[in-house]
Amino acid sequence: MPEIETHQRDSELFSPPSDVRGMTELDRTAFKKTVTIPVLKVRKEIVNKLMRSLKRAALQRPGIKRVIEDPEDEESRLIMLDPYKMFTDDSFEKGELSILKQLNVNPQISKYNLELTYENFKSEEILKAVLPEGQDVTSGFSRVGHIAHLNLRDHQLPYKHLIGQVMIDKNPGITSAVNKINNIDNTYRNFQMEVLSGEENMMTKVRENNYTYEFDFSKVYWNPRLSTEHSRITELLKPGDVLFDVFAGVGPFAIPVAKKNCTVFANDLNPESHKWLLHNCKLNKVDQKVKVFNLDGKDFLQGPVREELMQQLGPLSKERKHSVHIVMNLPAKAIEFLSAFKSLLDGQPCGSELFPIVHCYSFSKDANPAKDVQQRAGTVLGISLEACSSVHLVRNVAPNKEMLCITFRIPAAILYKNQTLNGDNHEDPPIKRQRTDKDF
């Protein structure tokens, strides 16, 4: 039988009833359906031995038992068979028939009426049956502790409460489903959300890279898809290094770096993020290693960061061996904040290998996102970064929209007052180019 036909028949047989189409309020009882399945009758004492040899022929369907009691004979069991492989007694392969003969099993196939219920269908199957035909039924979400965070599209909104309940039903541990209802464009970088189903409680606890974070998800920014990036930056720092985290959130960069015995200065303008950053530093026992601030990013750079850099790059700086890193994870606007580095420091520059390394995040919809980010960052600083920076693809945010991180060492001509963009700039050692996840 052609493969495409098998797939179509499979989807029809194991799809929810057609009359659930258009349902907006979840009625689990409406998903009952009876299908006819081929079965093989065997003695109960040989079931385990036989199942190892019938892997190909047996039904493989989540939530459905492959072996059931025979309603007509308590000494026998019925083995559910795949209805798309097992049509008649002749459907058994030679090896399977040989085992059946050895165990004295009659290869005759019988029919069994199997009742499917809501519990037997996967979330994707339920949504595909309910939403209009041909419409996107993506049921992916970000998990934040007990919360499923969805980004529903316009055509899914009439079904939003049903979708939320299905997500809770089909994902153990999820007790609340929420939908983002605006973009992250406000001052505090959180977003408005609507509880679709389940608990109203947005207080949650998550584990990421062996660290624990607690926060109110409705009032702070948290993205579980950034865990790999948090680890990547953490691995760049060595014990004794200094990290300035300009937009620290609840601590996913600051806390792991502090655990490496680095000195961390962590800042966030959002009072709620500041509160939970302090809480999480204590929770992870790094509160003695992290200095926490509640300032605008520019004020943080031109205040605490400037003061610390004046000491770090002062007369004794040549004796130190640790590096200084500045993380700026505010992709929508971070590049604009690079202007704060212009003429930030007084005095004479020390060796350029001691200058801070910046990791600045940005979004790009450009056909060449790496070059786009380099050019935009360079324009703000007034220099070319193409030869002395690296760009790392963090993730694909949406179709034709990438999140990237540009890394570079700040040149003396930018960092110090009364410096010119000639001799000092080209002497700065370039950042070793990191391998990107994608060939730009």
Side-chain angles (χ1 to χ4, degrees):
M1 179 177 291
E3 189 174 328
I4 188 166
E5 285 187 28
T6 301
H7 174 75
Q8 288 172 345
R9 287 183 56 191
D10 183 52
S11 63
E12 290 168 11
L13 185 66
F14 290 111
S15 291
S18 59
D19 55 5
V20 301
R21 179 82 64 198
M23 178 188 290
T24 55
E25 188 173 330
L26 183 61
D27 176 8
R28 297 177 183 83
T29 63
F31 287 82
K32 287 184 180 179
K33 176 181 180 179
T34 300
V35 294
T36 302
I37 300 290
V39 292
L40 180 67
K41 181 174 180 175
V42 301
R43 302 186 310 280
K44 66 179 183 181
E45 63 269 18
I46 65 167
V47 166
N48 291 338
K49 186 182 294 186
L50 186 57
M51 287 301 292
R52 288 194 292 270
S53 303
L54 291 182
K55 285 183 179 179
R56 181 200 68 88
L59 179 66
Q60 304 285 344
R61 177 72 192 174
I64 297 177
K65 291 181 179 179
R66 290 188 291 173
V67 180
I68 59 173
E69 292 184 3
D70 185 344
E72 299 174 357
D73 182 1
E74 63 179 28
E75 295 301 313
S76 297
R77 296 292 181 264
L78 299 179
I79 296 177
M80 298 271 190
L81 301 176
D82 188 329
Y84 302 105
K85 294 176 182 174
M86 309 306 294
F87 310 107
T88 67
D89 305 359
D90 297 331
S91 301
F92 287 108
E93 294 180 345
K94 286 184 179 179
E96 293 165 345
L97 286 171
S98 176
I99 294 294
L100 295 178
K101 188 174 182 180
Q102 286 178 30
L103 296 174
N104 196 26
V105 176
N106 184 345
Q108 183 178 354
I109 290 177
S110 305
K111 299 294 183 183
Y112 178 81
N113 290 329
L114 173 68
E115 184 179 74
L116 300 177
T117 66
Y118 175 79
E119 284 68 32
N120 299 128
F121 298 111
K122 294 178 280 191
S123 57
E124 293 84 358
E125 293 167 334
I126 292 170
L127 299 185
K128 187 176 180 181
V130 168
L131 270 64
E133 282 190 87
Q135 295 279 22
D136 175 34
V137 295
T138 301
S139 58
F141 61 87
S142 295
R143 182 166 188 158
V144 184
H146 68 280
I147 303 165
H149 170 214
L150 298 90
N151 290 322
L152 296 183
R153 299 183 180 180
D154 289 345
H155 71 271
Q156 297 169 328
L157 293 178
Y159 309 90
K160 60 186 180 181
H161 297 300
L162 180 145
I163 293 172
Q165 188 58 57
V166 171
M167 293 301 102
I168 292 173
D169 290 346
K170 298 297 178 177
N171 295 278
I174 294 292
T175 57
S176 181
V178 303
N179 181 42
K180 183 172 76 171
I181 55 176
N182 73 336
N183 292 324
I184 303 170
D185 56 3
N186 59 9
T187 304
Y188 293 150
R189 207 187 169 204
N190 55 356
F191 48 79
Q192 289 183 306
M193 63 176 70
E194 175 186 17
V195 177
L196 303 177
S197 190
E199 300 176 4
E200 297 277 342
N201 175 27
M202 293 294 105
M203 287 294 305
T204 191
K205 176 190 287 190
V206 299
R207 289 279 292 173
E208 180 185 275
N209 302 327
N210 296 318
Y211 301 99
T212 301
Y213 302 89
E214 296 177 343
F215 48 85
D216 183 336
F217 185 53
S218 67
K219 296 180 179 178
V220 305
Y221 177 79
W222 180 268
N223 189 338
R225 293 187 173 98
L226 294 178
S227 63
T228 301
E229 184 63 11
H230 297 150
S231 292
R232 185 182 75 88
I233 294 296
T234 300
E235 289 169 7
L236 296 177
L237 281 85
K238 298 180 175 62
D241 286 352
V242 177
L243 174 69
F244 296 104
D245 192 350
V246 186
F247 311 105
V250 299
F253 282 117
I255 288 168
V257 169
K259 276 286 188 182
K260 295 185 75 170
N261 288 319
C262 296
T263 300
V264 178
F265 297 76
N267 172 72
D268 203 282
L269 177 62
N270 182 352
E272 283 289 321
S273 295
H274 176 260
K275 179 180 82 174
W276 291 108
L277 176 58
L278 285 167
H279 173 83
N280 290 322
C281 285
K282 290 180 181 177
L283 186 65
N284 291 279
K285 300 179 180 175
V286 295
D287 47 309
Q288 299 302 311
K289 299 173 184 174
V290 183
K291 298 177 183 177
V292 178
F293 300 85
N294 181 207
L295 300 169
D296 176 77
K298 184 177 180 181
D299 294 336
F300 176 62
L301 289 167
Q302 295 182 339
V305 175
R306 178 185 181 278
E307 292 170 17
E308 187 64 23
L309 286 179
M310 288 294 291
Q311 293 185 20
Q312 293 283 337
L313 303 178
L316 300 177
S317 62
K318 291 182 180 178
E319 298 177 12
R320 71 174 175 84
K321 295 180 180 179
H322 57 259
S323 299
V324 175
H325 293 257
I326 301 175
V327 170
M328 304 173 71
N329 184 22
L330 186 68
K333 296 183 177 180
I335 283 180
E336 299 170 19
F337 286 83
L338 294 177
S339 61
F341 292 120
K342 289 183 177 180
S343 302
L344 185 65
L345 305 182
D346 302 313
Q348 291 299 310
C350 60
S352 59
E353 70 278 359
L354 302 177
F355 295 160
I357 298 170
V358 173
H359 310 277
C360 181
Y361 292 83
S362 182
F363 295 128
S364 177
K365 294 182 177 180
D366 195 86
N368 188 336
K371 188 174 183 180
D372 172 54
V373 169
Q374 286 175 322
Q375 289 180 342
R376 286 193 286 122
T379 298
V380 172
L381 290 170
I383 59 169
S384 173
L385 289 172
E386 292 191 34
C388 58
S389 67
S390 68
V391 178
H392 176 82
L393 174 67
V394 178
R395 70 186 189 98
N396 177 258
V397 178
N400 303 315
K401 184 178 180 181
E402 311 285 2
M403 178 179 175
L404 308 102
C405 176
I406 180 170
T407 295
F408 62 92
R409 196 184 299 275
I410 309 175
I414 297 298
L415 196 57
Y416 284 86
K417 295 176 183 175
N418 304 317
Q419 294 293 310
T420 57
L421 282 169
N422 45 43
D424 289 299
N425 188 31
H426 73 267
E427 292 176 3
D428 293 329
I431 298 294
K432 183 178 179 182
R433 182 159 183 82
Q434 301 167 38
R435 295 178 63 186
T436 59
D437 297 331
K438 191 172 186 180
D439 183 10
F440 295 122

